[in-house]
């Protein structure tokens, strides 16, 4: 009903504007004609006076007063124009006494000015001017035009006859145009409202851009709705997937905690008890690490708007991460090397980039083969920074490369759990890189191993 009410409001306002403009045009035209009669323009008035006055003067000079009265009477009956003829002394030659006295003042003014004159007050439907006869005699011709119709008569003229029918046709066409305009404006809004209701009811796949026709503003509004709906759908699906993955990931350590707790309660074997308490501590530490990484991932997924951008030396940051990873890798006779220019300043979040680089490099150390090397390089090219981390591990199946950065995704579930990973590190790295308007991808090395490429724009 609100959309229908909007349609009627738009239709009503359009029709009201048309009626007001039409009424104003009629009223202004009527008032203008009342103030300035049709023959009141001087050139046209002079032409009318010369025409009618010349005929009247010739009638008077040919047949005297009687023929003049006959001409004036015929003119009045035919056109409604009243004429009084004056001589060059402003003495009336025809007409009633009241009419003579009323027009005599105009005749005197016309003799004095030699121009077409009009009444100074009252109804402005009179005019007077001098006319010279063929014999050279000067006369003053005064005309009284028919009075304009009163408003009631004007309204009757407008609403009856041919003009009234034309007015009705014009109003019908205007109503049809207003209907189409109101419908074209309200229909997209009605569809957008219906889509909003479906979306609010839980249909997150609702889209409307292809259904809206009209102005670019309405199409833009529909596209903005689709963009908003797509982002909300992605967030809701990501939340559902994350909750599902979290419940799945927490179930295993909780199960192991429960088993270890039952075994630790058996006081018969002190060695078993100590071993189970160690297992409980290890599982607790893993759960704590997982929860911390989940909190960081959630913070990044929501935009990380409270993270401050500062300028720092990216080479030193990468060197520190590589040194820590190299120290850990030596237990497996592995090395982590770095090739990068120094110093290299970058504007962004030092903490986020440190987390991203640590997760990727430690992941490479975890899966590289024993007694091999993880190679880290940093270079500037084409206005951007390129960081490459390459290991000598087994690589990843091609169909799994695009899923490596999904939360909790594991290529080999049992092996990854034994390595101690939570499946969130690479997802945190991807969000941290995207927060810096960069991109990250993984690809297999031709001679074995995995390469992770991080590209960051230098405008930071």
């Amino acid at each position: 009903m609100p959309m229908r009410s909007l349609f009627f409001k738009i239709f009503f306002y359009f029709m009201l504007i048309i009626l007001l403009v039409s009424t104003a045009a009629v009223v202004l035209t009527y008032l203008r004609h009342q103030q300035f009669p049709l023959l009141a323009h001087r050139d046209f008035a002079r032409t009318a006076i010369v025409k009618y006055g010349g005929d009247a003067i010739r009638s008077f000079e040919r047949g005297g007063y009687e023929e003049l009265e006959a001409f004036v009477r015929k003119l009045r009956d035919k056109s409604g124009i009243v004429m009084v003829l004056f001589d060059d002394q402003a003495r009336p030659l025809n007409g009633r006494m009241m009419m003579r006295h009323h027009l005599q003042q105009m005749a005197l003014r016309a003799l004095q000015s030699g121009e077409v004159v009009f009444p100074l007050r009252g109804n402005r439907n009179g005019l007077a001017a001098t006319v010279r006869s063929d014999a050279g005699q000067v006369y003053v011709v005064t005309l009284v035009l028919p009075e304009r119709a009163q408003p009631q008569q004007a309204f009757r003229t407008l609403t009856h006859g041919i003009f009234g029918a034309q007015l009705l046709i014009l109003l019908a066409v205007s109503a049809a145009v207003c209907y189409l305009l109101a419908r074209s404006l309200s229909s997209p809004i009605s569809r957008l409202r219906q889509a909003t209701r479906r979306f609010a009811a839980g249909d997150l796949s609702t889209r409307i851009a292809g259904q809206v026709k009209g102005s670019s503003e309405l199409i833009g509004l529909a596209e903005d709705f689709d963009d908003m709906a797509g982002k909300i759908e992605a967030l809701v699906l990501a939340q559902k997937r994350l909750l599902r993955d979290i419940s799945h990931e927490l179930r295993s350590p909780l199960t192991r905690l429960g088993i270890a707790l039952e075994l630790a309660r058996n006081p018969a074997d002190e060695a078993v008890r100590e071993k189970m308490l160690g297992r409980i501590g290890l599982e607790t530490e893993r759960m704590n690490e997982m929860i911390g990484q989940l909190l960081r991932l959630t913070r990044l997924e929501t935009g990380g708007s409270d993270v401050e951008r500062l300028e720092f030396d990216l080479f030193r940051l990468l060197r520190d991460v590589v040194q820590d990873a190299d120290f850990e890798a030596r237990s497996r006779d592995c090395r982590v090397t770095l090739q990068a220019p120094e110093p290299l300043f970058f504007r962004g979040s030092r903490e986020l980039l440190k987390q991203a680089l640590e997760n990727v490099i430690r992941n490479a150390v975890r899966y590289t083969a024993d007694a091999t090397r993880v190679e880290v390089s940093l270079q500037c090219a084409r206005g951007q920074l390129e960081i490459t981390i390459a290991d000598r591990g087994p690589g990843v199946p091609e169909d799994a490369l695009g899923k490596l950065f999904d939360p909790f995704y594991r290529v080999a579930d049992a092996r990854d759990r034994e390595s101690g990973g939570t499946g969130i590190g690479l997802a945190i790295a991807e969000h941290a890189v995207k927060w810096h308007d960069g991109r990250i991808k993984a690809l297999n090395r031709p001679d074995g191993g995995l390469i992770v490429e991080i590209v960051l724009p230098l405008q930071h």
Side-chain angles (χ1 to χ4, degrees), residues 206-401:
T206 301
R207 301 294 184 270
I208 194 177
Q211 307 174 21
V212 173
K213 309 293 181 184
S215 65
S216 57
E217 288 79 6
L218 293 175
I219 295 176
L221 180 61
E223 291 175 350
D224 290 343
F225 172 84
D226 285 358
D227 184 55
M228 176 199 69
K231 290 180 179 178
I232 293 177
E233 182 181 18
L235 287 174
V236 172
L237 293 178
Q239 183 188 37
K240 290 180 178 179
R241 184 175 63 251
L242 185 61
L243 289 175
R244 182 183 67 248
D245 294 340
I246 290 174
S247 63
H248 176 74
E249 292 296 325
L250 290 179
R251 185 177 295 116
S252 296
L254 286 174
T255 301
R256 291 193 293 269
L257 278 173
I259 296 173
L261 184 61
E262 288 297 325
L263 293 175
R265 285 176 178 172
N266 185 4
D269 193 339
E270 188 66 26
V272 173
R273 183 176 180 180
E274 289 297 328
K275 184 179 179 180
M276 291 301 105
L277 289 176
R279 168 60 69 175
I280 291 174
L282 177 62
E283 297 297 338
T284 303
E285 184 179 349
R286 286 180 176 178
M287 291 181 62
N288 186 51
E289 180 184 358
M290 182 187 299
I291 292 172
Q293 290 188 342
L294 282 172
L295 291 176
R296 286 194 293 271
L297 180 62
T298 303
R299 184 185 182 191
L300 290 172
E301 286 182 337
T302 56
S305 57
D306 58 335
V307 179
E308 186 178 4
R309 295 181 185 268
L310 298 173
E311 189 173 276
F312 61 92
D313 188 349
L314 183 58
F315 169 78
R316 293 184 59 184
L317 170 64
L318 193 57
R319 183 193 61 188
D320 294 342
V321 174
V322 167
Q323 287 178 351
D324 293 341
D326 182 63
F327 180 78
E328 296 176 6
R330 290 184 181 184
S331 62
R332 297 173 48 223
D333 198 21
C334 295
R335 297 299 304 274
V336 182
T337 62
L338 172 65
Q339 291 182 353
E342 59 172 318
L344 184 59
F345 290 96
F346 181 79
R347 185 172 182 82
S349 171
R350 189 179 189 279
E351 183 62 29
L352 289 183
L353 279 182
K354 182 179 180 182
Q355 291 178 12
L357 294 171
E358 280 185 342
N359 290 339
V360 175
I361 294 175
R362 286 183 175 178
N363 189 75
V365 171
R366 183 180 301 124
Y367 296 114
T368 193
D370 293 343
T372 59
R373 177 177 300 184
V374 175
E375 300 168 351
V376 181
S377 64
L378 169 64
Q379 59 182 352
C380 300
R382 299 182 298 276
Q384 58 189 13
L385 298 176
E386 297 181 0
I387 304 174
T388 304
I389 299 97
D391 64 46
R392 291 291 180 175
V396 175
E398 292 295 330
D399 58 347
L401 287 174

Side-chain angles (χ1 to χ4, degrees), residues 63-114:
Y65 294 103
E66 292 183 1
E67 191 167 339
L68 175 61
E69 286 289 353
F71 174 82
V72 171
R73 187 165 49 252
K74 182 179 179 181
L75 177 64
R76 183 178 64 246
D77 294 341
K78 183 178 180 180
S79 62
I81 298 176
V82 177
M83 174 187 289
V84 177
L85 188 64
F86 294 86
D87 60 15
D88 57 356
Q89 301 298 319
R91 291 174 298 200
L93 302 177
N94 70 300
R96 299 188 300 272
M97 290 300 298
M98 182 179 299
M99 182 63 69
R100 291 175 180 178
H101 181 73
H102 175 69
L103 298 177
Q104 193 170 23
Q105 297 298 323
M106 288 190 5
L108 288 171
R109 291 169 45 221
L111 284 170
Q112 293 173 0
S113 65

Side-chain angles (χ1 to χ4, degrees), residues 297 300-301 405 407 426-436 440:
L297 180 62
L300 290 172
E301 286 182 337
F405 302 98
L426 292 182
I428 293 177
E430 181 187 41
H431 282 81
V433 171
K434 287 185 176 180
W435 188 88
H436 289 87
I440 183 172

Side-chain angles (χ1 to χ4, degrees), residues 2-35:
M3 286 300 104
R4 186 171 296 276
S5 130
L6 175 63
F7 168 79
F8 283 119
K9 283 181 181 179
I10 297 175
F11 178 79
F12 172 76
Y13 288 142
F14 279 155
M15 286 299 300
L16 182 62
I17 290 173
I18 291 176
L19 291 176
L20 289 177
V21 171
S22 303
T23 303
V26 171
V27 171
L28 290 176
T29 303
Y30 174 80
L31 294 177
R32 180 177 176 82
H33 284 177
Q34 286 295 99
Q35 185 175 5

Side-chain angles (χ1 to χ4, degrees), residues 126-167:
L127 58 154
T130 58
V131 178
R132 189 178 297 273
S133 68
D134 297 336
Q137 181 65 33
V138 176
Y139 295 89
V140 180
V141 179
T142 59
L143 299 178
V144 180
L145 305 178
E147 292 186 1
R148 293 289 174 183
Q150 296 301 315
Q152 299 87 343
Q153 296 174 338
F155 178 76
R156 183 177 180 82
T157 303
L158 289 174
T159 56
H160 290 74
I162 297 178
F163 190 82
Q166 294 175 344
L167 182 62

